[in-house]
Amino acid sequence: MTLIAPSILSADWAHLEAEIRAIEQAGADWIHLDVMDGHFVPNLTFGPKVVETVRKITPLFLDTHLMITHPEQWVERYAKAGSDQITIHAEACADLPSILALIKSFGKKAGVALSPDTPVTVLERVWADLDCVLVMTVHPGFGGQAFMPGPVSKIAQIKAKSKCLVEVDGGINAKTAPMVWAAGADILVAGSAIFESPDYKQAILTLR
Ligand code: DX5
Ligand code: ZN
């Protein structure tokens, strides 16, 4: 069963609570939270206060994708804000094993995200510690970008090494989802394909 994780980056932020209720009712499995710091990526989004706010609105699994430098300094705040899973970028971590242990010390699932040019081999020392690997199929930073097929081959490489879940993020829509599903993805993140659709339920069903 493939899980669908709408990214609220593409939601209507003037009506965030209503948007979250709408994706709950439309059958979303997880909520994907794109945290960007204006350093690791050029764009800037939101911090722990918004995660805490979303936590108050919904019981859904909160999947926090940290696109930030020095994530080790922020894990505690995103954990206490109510994240269920915290995913850090391999490119932003000097010491992956210790940050994964830190995430787990708060009782949270731990994930590592790989930007399109980052090879799976960076996970060599942490295969046993991973709950999830997030394969980016766009360069992190913005919603609504075109899907890059190159990173899809990483899914099989990850599955050969670990029983962890594989999540795919960036440019997922009705056209690209079949390719990543066939490659073995467990979770599909989608921002614009859901929030720019007039019917969220239909959009989620189509991706499923
Ligand atoms: C990009 C983010 C994605 C993005 C997905 O840096 O990590 O989660 O919001 O948006 P779409 O589905 O529009 O590519
Ligand atoms: Zn994301």
Side-chain angles (χ1 to χ4, degrees):
M1 150 110 163
T2 313
L3 302 183
I4 306 297
S7 164
I8 59 166
L9 185 61
S10 302
D12 174 0
W13 281 75
H15 305 100
L16 187 59
E17 182 171 5
E19 290 279 71
I20 289 170
R21 299 265 171 260
I23 52 168
E24 277 177 344
Q25 281 166 19
D29 298 294
W30 288 8
I31 292 183
H32 185 82
L33 299 160
D34 284 307
V35 175
M36 306 186 191
D37 67 352
H39 293 274
F40 180 72
V41 288
N43 198 6
L44 183 67
T45 58
F46 52 80
K49 181 75 188 173
V50 168
V51 178
E52 192 185 319
T53 302
V54 174
R55 177 76 293 160
K56 286 181 190 152
I57 296 170
T58 181
L60 284 183
F61 187 96
L62 297 187
D63 176 32
T64 301
H65 177 191
L66 296 182
M67 287 163 272
I68 65 175
T69 55
H70 298 299
E72 68 285 352
Q73 296 173 9
W74 290 90
V75 161
E76 179 169 1
R77 273 172 273 207
Y78 286 97
K80 290 185 174 163
S83 305
D84 293 296
Q85 171 161 282
I86 297 177
T87 296
I88 40 88
H89 262 267
E91 308 82 21
C93 297
D95 183 359
L96 267 181
S98 74
I99 188 165
L100 291 173
L102 179 65
I103 294 169
K104 289 183 174 185
S105 74
F106 295 103
K108 308 300 180 179
K109 302 273 189 202
V112 175
L114 304 176
S115 289
D117 298 334
T118 304
V120 160
T121 48
V122 299
L123 301 173
E124 236 144 51
R125 293 167 60 214
V126 294
W127 285 120
D129 309 323
L130 291 167
D131 294 302
C132 188
V133 177
L134 192 162
V135 173
M136 295 292 307
T137 42
V138 296
H139 290 291
F142 297 91
Q145 301 183 76
F147 177 82
M148 300 167 68
V152 173
S153 60
K154 292 179 192 174
I155 300 171
Q157 296 170 31
I158 296 161
K159 292 280 176 185
K161 290 279 189 181
S162 171
K163 286 191 164 45
C164 69
L165 296 175
V166 178
E167 181 173 17
V168 182
D169 184 7
I172 299 295
N173 56 38
K175 250 171 101 174
T176 57
M179 188 197 302
V180 296
W181 173 79
D186 302 291
I187 304 131
L188 306 184
V189 175
S192 44
I194 293 172
F195 287 103
E196 284 174 16
S197 155
D199 182 343
Y200 298 171
K201 190 169 191 170
Q202 190 54 54
I204 289 175
L205 270 176
T206 303
L207 291 175
R208 241 191 249 294

